Amino acid sequence: MNDKNIDELINKALQEEQALPEGLSRRLEEQIDAWAATEEKKTRSLTRRRTLYWLSGVAASILLCIGFFQYEVPSYAPDRLHDTYTNPEDAAVAAEKALLLLSHNLNKGISRVNDAGQEIDKVNNILNKHLND
């Protein structure tokens, strides 16, 4: 083969490559337009969502401020501002009774904890006896 034949073959191949099927250009343009439209819809949706989040935050802040400024501290009756016992001896007797009740309940709880500890020790001893045999 000579150089002329090679050039002809290359030119022929290039011409065949450049020939596009009929309607391909139109289909490509339609596909590109469809992709652009979906991307535009996504962008609009994202913008709307961000705006909605922003407006929700502003509304929540406003409601929080309104609630904060509308809150009133309850006023107490004047008799509630004083001690429960006006007589110190009565207060001492009531405190002594409360401390005795606390002591009794605490002792009862401690004895139950001790009983549980003894039961745990018994179980551990039985387990160790069976594991070591």
Side-chain angles (χ1 to χ4, degrees):
M1 281 177 91
N2 60 24
D3 288 336
K4 186 176 181 184
N5 287 340
I6 293 174
D7 288 339
E8 286 177 12
L9 286 173
I10 291 174
N11 286 335
K12 187 176 181 182
L14 289 174
Q15 287 175 355
E16 287 177 6
E17 235 179 74
Q18 290 175 357
L20 295 175
E22 190 174 319
L24 179 65
S25 175
R26 180 185 49 80
R27 289 186 302 214
L28 286 173
E29 287 176 7
E30 288 174 357
Q31 186 62 43
I32 290 171
D33 290 342
W35 287 338
T38 50
E39 191 64 33
E40 187 176 325
K41 285 180 185 177
K42 287 180 186 177
T43 304
R44 273 194 241 143
S45 174
L46 184 62
T47 303
R48 286 182 189 160
R49 189 176 297 143
R50 284 183 183 164
T51 303
L52 182 63
Y53 289 156
W54 185 83
L55 288 174
S56 299
V58 169
S61 299
I62 289 172
L63 288 174
L64 187 64
C65 289
I66 289 172
F68 180 73
F69 289 115
Q70 293 295 322
Y71 178 75
E72 292 182 22
V73 177
S75 59
Y76 295 103
D79 60 333
R80 290 188 145 204
L81 295 177
H82 299 293
D83 291 335
T84 306
Y85 295 98
T86 53
N87 185 355
E89 287 86 18
D90 292 341
V93 169
E96 187 176 340
K97 285 180 182 179
L99 288 173
L100 282 173
L101 180 64
L102 176 68
S103 173
H104 175 72
N105 288 334
L106 186 61
N107 287 335
K108 190 190 312 185
I110 289 173
S111 70
R112 287 191 179 176
V113 169
N114 287 336
D115 293 343
Q118 289 174 356
E119 291 295 320
I120 290 172
D121 288 341
K122 286 179 186 178
V123 170
N124 283 335
N125 288 336
I126 292 171
L127 283 174
N128 287 334
K129 182 179 176 182
H130 287 295
L131 290 174
N132 291 332
D133 289 341

